[in-house]
Amino acid sequence: KEADGQSAVDVVAQLPLEITSVAKKKGREAPPRLFDLTSLQVECNKKFAWTADQTLRLIQSLYEKKLTTYPRVDTTYLSIPKSKKIFDNSKVTDHHAIIPTGQSPVGIEGDEKRLYHLIAMRFIAAFYPDCIFEGTTVMAKSGDYEFKATGKVIIDPGWRTLYKSNDEKDSAENSDDKDNQEGSSLLPVFHEGESGPHKPFLAKKTSQPPKYYTEGTLLRAMETAGRTVDSEELREAMKDNGIGRPSTRAAIIETLFKRRYIYRDRKNIMASQAGIDLIATINEELLKSAKLTGIWENKLRQIERGSYSPAMFIREISELIRQIVLNVLSDNSNRRIVTEIEEDRKKAAKGGKEKPKKVRAPRVTKLEQVVCPVCGKGHIVKGRAAFGCSEFRSGCTFRLSFEECPADTTPARLKKKIGSK
């Protein structure tokens, strides 16, 4: 509780802070991996705010000018026997990672020049030594309370020497291929046993919802079928289970834009009302399952390698489709969504004369969709003995006991009951 925290701060503020231990440990940060198409699109979206499709068109142009290698690849390795960090035949598919060909890039300019420079720098960095840093953990004590601080300091920059200018340094530090080792706070020099005054304070924070997707983070999510994976090694292992392939993901995203299921808000990708309604309308969860799509993609890769039977895969898909069709045919809700594209066509057909729109309310499937009838600000939450308002801490008095409305009442029925009260 805040009062308890403030009480602790008041106590330790009157006492000195003593350093009880200082532990240092050296670590290494390998150069970022070479680019495959997805990681290149992610990096360009982050650094230049380019769309996935824009990056694909630019790298295709560089390839056609024989300045870079084939771009539609899903590997970050080369096929020459040397260090396994860069060269690994077992990880090379039809093509290797995207690298410069060695041809002189004379005549390119603008975005193509920026893209070529990005690829060339990543290729050169791969042959530099690791960055050596020292991680420090400081433990301290004041009264009966213990404190801990951690930080890092660069001992030998290694490959980071290439990224000295601010723009290039940002590219290296924020690279999606590596955890940012240098991003931790730098600590002053501490000595075990030293003691002195300090300024404790109480920090009040709130948890934040997940951030909206950008095209870069959406590409990563497609690569891992929606599962959050920070480790490059795990991402590498899961590439066979993603949505689409490196060459098709940009087109998938562009299709959603064209159908107006999603739209851009600066760098963020937002779901349109039509997109939200589409997901709410589809009852069959398997049709919306990114995991299922990932499993299918993996089986297709196994078929390519000859380790899975095409006939077995077809039988599985046929049985699944048969079951889905039966479920859809038994759904008599007659739900339908109208996209903005359809509305535009109707307007054009009627000479631009617009009739009042009939807006279909989205299906109520969560308590968060049920607005509090008392304050109008919060939404309904489920307590131990009653339904209440999420703004109860702010003084909202709404309460609906389980005697009036059973605890297992669906959100849709609960909304109807509240509306009739």
Side-chain angles (χ1 to χ4, degrees):
K1 294 180 181 179
E2 185 175 353
D4 295 337
Q6 189 57 54
S7 175
V9 168
D10 294 340
V11 170
V12 300
Q14 308 303 318
L15 301 171
L17 182 76
E18 180 185 356
I19 305 301
T20 56
S21 70
V22 179
K24 295 182 179 181
K25 184 179 179 181
K26 282 190 176 181
R28 310 175 71 90
E29 181 187 12
R33 291 181 183 272
L34 298 173
F35 285 121
D36 60 7
L37 179 58
T38 300
S39 61
L40 183 63
Q41 289 169 319
V42 169
E43 184 74 3
C44 289
N45 178 255
K46 189 160 44 182
K47 186 173 176 60
F48 307 124
W50 294 348
T51 67
D53 185 62
Q54 185 178 359
T55 300
L56 179 58
R57 283 187 278 106
L58 287 167
I59 189 61
Q60 180 67 25
S61 176
L62 289 177
Y63 169 65
E64 290 172 0
K65 292 176 180 177
K66 296 183 170 35
L67 296 177
T68 56
T69 56
Y70 186 71
R72 289 172 167 79
V73 295
D74 60 355
T75 181
T76 58
Y77 295 88
L78 300 177
S79 57
I80 305 170
K82 197 180 164 97
S83 165
K84 285 284 185 179
K85 290 179 182 177
I86 310 168
F87 302 94
D88 192 341
N89 260 336
S90 65
K91 300 289 180 67
V92 175
T93 52
D94 296 335
H95 301 273
H96 55 67
I98 302 172
I99 61 174
T101 61
Q103 297 285 338
S104 178
V106 176
I108 61 171
E109 55 186 24
D111 289 345
E112 284 190 359
K113 185 176 181 179
R114 282 190 281 272
L115 182 58
Y116 180 85
H117 185 259
L118 199 67
I119 295 168
M121 289 294 287
R122 182 66 66 94
F123 180 64
I124 295 169
F127 297 93
Y128 266 62
D130 291 352
C131 169
I132 309 299
F133 62 87
E134 189 173 69
T136 305
T137 301
V138 181
M139 300 299 297
K141 190 173 183 180
S142 181
D144 294 330
Y145 296 95
E146 291 186 326
F147 297 85
K148 178 182 179 181
T150 60
K152 289 188 176 78
V153 62
I154 300 296
I155 305 299
D156 181 354
W159 61 269
R160 285 184 175 273
T161 305
L162 292 172
Y163 296 91
K164 286 183 177 178
S165 71
N166 290 334
D167 289 344
E168 292 168 1
K169 187 176 179 182
D170 288 343
S171 175
E173 291 181 353
N174 295 327
S175 170
D176 220 46
D177 292 307
K178 298 301 297 177
D179 291 330
N180 181 7
Q181 302 281 14
E182 194 179 13
S184 300
S185 58
L186 297 179
L187 295 176
V189 177
F190 287 102
H191 300 285
E192 186 174 335
E194 70 173 303
S195 178
H198 59 123
K199 296 180 180 180
F201 63 92
L202 193 64
K204 187 174 183 179
K205 299 182 179 181
T206 58
S207 59
Q208 299 294 319
K211 292 182 179 179
Y212 289 112
Y213 281 122
T214 63
E215 282 206 38
T217 57
L218 181 57
L219 284 166
R220 281 299 187 208
M222 293 174 73
E223 189 178 51
T224 56
R227 285 165 285 191
T228 302
V229 181
D230 294 325
S231 165
E232 175 63 24
E233 284 71 25
L234 283 178
R235 277 208 299 265
E236 187 73 30
M238 292 173 63
K239 279 185 177 180
D240 284 349
N241 299 328
I243 297 175
R245 304 296 291 160
S247 57
T248 63
R249 287 174 188 140
I252 292 171
I253 295 173
E254 286 302 314
T255 298
L256 293 177
F257 280 124
K258 288 175 182 176
R259 293 179 182 174
R260 302 186 190 178
Y261 290 137
I262 60 176
Y263 64 95
R264 291 186 182 90
D265 181 6
R266 297 182 180 178
K267 289 185 70 173
N268 294 329
I269 294 180
M270 317 289 284
S272 68
Q273 190 59 50
I276 294 170
D277 290 346
L278 173 65
I279 295 302
T281 298
I282 299 173
N283 268 341
E284 194 61 51
E285 290 301 317
L286 281 175
L287 293 177
K288 300 183 285 188
S289 170
K291 183 179 179 181
L292 176 68
T293 305
I295 292 172
W296 285 352
E297 288 284 354
N298 191 9
K299 288 182 177 179
L300 289 174
R301 302 289 83 72
Q302 292 179 42
I303 291 172
E304 285 179 5
R305 294 189 289 265
S307 59
Y308 193 73
S309 165
M312 176 66 74
F313 182 64
I314 291 172
R315 281 198 297 272
E316 289 178 2
I317 297 292
S318 297
E319 176 57 28
L320 182 63
I321 291 174
R322 188 185 69 80
Q323 189 59 51
I324 289 175
V325 170
L326 286 175
N327 292 344
V328 172
L329 289 175
S330 63
D331 184 356
N332 298 318
S333 60
N334 195 31
R335 286 163 295 151
R336 184 176 182 273
I337 64 169
V338 178
T339 67
E340 293 179 17
I341 296 175
E342 289 178 282
E343 291 178 348
D344 290 347
R345 287 173 180 165
K346 288 178 181 177
K347 287 182 199 174
K350 295 178 180 179
K353 293 181 179 179
E354 184 178 357
K355 290 186 177 181
K357 295 180 181 178
K358 293 182 179 180
V359 180
R360 185 185 297 275
R363 291 175 62 240
V364 178
T365 58
K366 299 178 182 178
L367 288 176
E368 288 84 349
Q369 294 174 266
V370 185
V371 178
C372 174
V374 174
C375 69
K377 296 179 180 178
H379 60 77
I380 302 304
V381 294
K382 186 177 179 181
R384 294 181 180 177
F387 292 103
C389 175
S390 60
E391 294 291 318
F392 69 93
R393 289 191 180 89
S394 299
C396 182
T397 59
F398 174 77
R399 188 177 187 276
L400 185 64
S401 71
F402 291 160
E403 294 179 359
E404 297 180 79
C405 191
D408 59 355
T409 302
T410 64
R413 290 179 180 174
L414 182 62
K415 182 177 181 181
K416 187 175 181 180
K417 183 173 182 62
I418 290 174
S420 64
K421 284 179 68 66

